[in-house]
Amino acid sequence: MGLPELNAVIDRVRASIESVIEGKPEAVRLALTVMLAEGHLLLEDVPGVGKTMLAKALARSVDCTVRRIQFTPDLLPSDVTGTNVFDQQRMDFEFRPGAIFAQIVVGDEINRASPKTQSALLESMAERQVTIDGTTYELPSPFMVVATQNPVEMEGTYPLPEAQRDRFMARVSIGYPSPEAELAMLDSHSGASPLDDLTPVAHASDILKLIALVRTVHVADSVRRYTVDLVTATRTSTELRLGASPRATLHLIRAARAAAALDGREYVLPDDIQALAVPVLAHRLLPTSEAQLSRRSAEQIVRDLVQRLPIPHAQGPARRI
């Protein structure tokens, strides 16, 4: 499978999602980028703008196992990961998998669960495995968590721990639709849910092949250095008390590879790094109290760092896929 085949499959998935999510091509593209980069996606926005709809549309467009977890304050970690149950007939313990054992896991309103339950996702998101009572169980492949959350300042929510946010490759805010898109939504959503008509347009095996192809996209040494310099700048910025982690560097490179492949390129450009810097880095950063008083968001700080950092020019030869 090459880039033309990749784009043919992704075009089908994109068209399927956009038949439900009107007027948000950037959010749909980022979701597909994260999927091809083997990452996890955090959808953060106010209620009612289509976060769960986007997550479900992505899940239903790919023929793979899908589980949905409704995060609530009384949700237990064992509900997510699974637990050992004693079987009286066999006189032995039997492992019953939790909702995390699926290829696409939709976590709805993740910040409504307690931090203890949120932490149940840490091992699965980082290592694609779950350890219960000393026994490790591998998760299916491909594996992707698409979580939604409301802004943390809203009542009845818990801020995601830093370790949890760092495991999400990217965060995207869908935002309110344009008047034209909202009018179109009234026509398509006023009756039955458009999700009911969605059928898979790609197989899990197709996604695995596309992921393997994305891994071969070339990243020049100058682009690697530029990525490291950008992440390092977040750690030395006087406006941030917590910069991006080395995991963020890896995520940025992987996402840039996927973005280049979606554009039909066999190599990554600095433009790919710049375009993904905010969605990949901003949710991991903690501004200082002085920056917060000045109403400087993490997104604004990342944009300023991108503007100040010199762009490399020597890309090196592109390797054929």
Side-chain angles (χ1 to χ4, degrees):
M1 181 178 288
L3 287 180
E5 291 81 4
L6 179 148
N7 286 303
V9 173
I10 291 300
D11 284 345
R12 294 200 303 268
V13 177
R14 180 189 290 114
S16 176
I17 298 173
E18 290 183 348
S19 68
V20 176
I21 306 295
E22 292 92 355
K24 295 297 176 182
E26 298 85 3
V28 174
R29 176 185 167 88
L30 184 59
L32 296 174
T33 299
V34 172
M35 180 177 67
L36 294 181
E38 300 180 273
H40 308 290
L41 182 66
L42 180 62
L43 301 171
E44 180 183 288
D45 218 320
V46 296
V49 295
K51 302 185 300 296
T52 305
M53 188 76 72
L54 173 57
K56 286 183 175 181
L58 173 63
R60 294 196 181 191
S61 297
V62 180
D63 186 15
C64 58
T65 57
V66 180
R67 296 290 294 273
R68 180 178 181 270
I69 307 175
Q70 181 64 56
F71 283 83
T72 56
D74 60 347
L75 187 72
L76 299 176
S78 59
D79 296 329
V80 177
T81 59
T83 186
N84 285 316
V85 178
F86 187 73
D87 189 336
Q88 292 185 348
Q89 292 182 343
R90 297 172 51 228
M91 298 301 292
D92 196 5
F93 285 94
E94 177 185 5
F95 176 66
R96 294 188 179 176
I100 198 67
F101 282 83
Q103 291 170 309
I104 296 182
V105 178
V106 179
D108 201 10
E109 297 190 272
I110 188 175
N111 59 336
R112 291 199 178 277
S114 67
K116 181 179 181 180
T117 301
Q118 292 174 13
S119 298
L121 292 170
L122 293 178
E123 181 185 11
S124 60
M125 292 177 66
E127 303 172 47
R128 286 169 166 74
Q129 66 182 29
V130 171
T131 302
I132 305 294
D133 295 336
T135 303
T136 299
Y137 303 91
E138 297 292 330
L139 293 173
S141 185
F143 174 70
M144 180 182 185
V145 175
V146 183
T148 71
Q149 75 165 0
N150 299 327
V152 295
E153 67 270 16
M154 296 188 69
E155 189 174 345
T157 61
Y158 301 85
L160 291 183
E162 285 78 7
Q164 182 72 64
R165 292 202 308 268
D166 196 43
R167 280 162 170 78
F168 284 102
M169 176 173 284
R171 179 185 65 181
V172 62
S173 296
I174 297 179
Y176 291 111
S178 65
E180 293 76 13
E182 197 159 4
L183 282 171
M185 182 191 70
L186 293 178
D187 292 331
S188 60
H189 293 238
S190 57
S193 172
L195 285 172
D196 297 338
D197 297 328
L198 280 190
T199 56
V201 294
H203 296 282
S205 58
D206 296 329
I207 302 303
L208 287 174
K209 292 177 183 177
L210 298 182
I211 289 173
L213 180 64
V214 166
R215 290 174 184 165
T216 66
V217 172
H218 178 66
V219 184
D221 290 339
S222 57
V223 177
R224 295 174 187 266
R225 170 57 60 182
Y226 176 71
T227 305
V228 171
D229 289 344
L230 178 58
V231 174
T232 301
T234 67
R235 302 168 189 164
T236 58
S237 172
T238 57
E239 294 185 289
L240 297 172
R241 57 189 176 93
L242 178 66
S245 66
R247 181 186 285 120
T249 311
L250 292 172
H251 283 178
L252 190 52
I253 287 291
R254 290 174 183 171
R257 279 191 168 117
L262 288 176
D263 286 339
R265 278 184 282 107
E266 302 171 350
Y267 52 90
V268 173
L269 294 173
D271 292 351
D272 300 318
I273 303 296
Q274 290 181 327
L276 291 163
V278 170
V280 173
L281 299 180
H283 65 284
R284 311 167 194 262
L285 309 178
L286 292 180
T288 62
S289 55
E290 292 81 4
Q292 291 176 330
L293 288 173
S294 301
R295 299 184 181 277
R296 294 273 290 166
S297 66
E299 290 82 359
Q300 291 173 323
I301 296 172
V302 172
R303 291 190 187 98
D304 288 347
L305 292 175
V306 169
Q307 290 294 323
R308 293 201 299 264
L309 198 65
I311 301 176
H313 296 289
Q315 301 301 317
R319 180 166 55 88
R320 299 295 299 178
I321 294 179

